[in-house]
Amino acid sequence: MSNENTLGVEIERIRERLRAMRTERETAMHHLAESREHAETQRQVRADAELTAGGAPAPRDARRLSA
């Protein structure tokens, strides 16, 4: 009986850790999505600023814009 209780406690600890890992993963994915959105916004702002200024993009930027 004591062996079953110990096993049950260990199983519950593993389940709790899995729940925590799932939450950590979801949080990390959320932050990654926010970071990607921010990077895309920054790229768009730079592209708009170049167009507004009437200047041609730098050669390295032109390759990325055409991709």
Side-chain angles (χ1 to χ4, degrees), residues 6 10 25-27 29-30 32-33 36-38 43 45-46 48 53-56 62:
T6 303
E10 189 62 28
R25 185 187 73 220
E26 289 170 357
T27 300
M29 294 299 288
H30 177 74
L32 178 60
R36 286 180 175 162
E37 288 174 11
H38 178 72
R43 279 191 289 274
V45 166
R46 283 192 296 273
D48 290 347

Side-chain angles (χ1 to χ4, degrees), residues 7-55:
L7 184 59
V9 168
E10 189 62 28
I11 289 171
E12 190 54 36
R13 283 186 196 147
I14 291 169
R15 285 181 177 152
E16 288 174 14
R17 183 64 191 134
L18 286 172
R19 277 192 290 272
M21 290 171 69
R22 188 176 305 119
T23 299
E24 291 170 5
R25 185 187 73 220
E26 289 170 357
T27 300
M29 294 299 288
H30 177 74
H31 286 125
L32 178 60
E34 285 180 338
S35 179
R36 286 180 175 162
E37 288 174 11
H38 178 72
E40 181 57 34
T41 299
Q42 290 298 92
R43 279 191 289 274
Q44 188 62 45
V45 166
R46 283 192 296 273
D48 290 347
E50 286 177 354
L51 290 174
T52 301

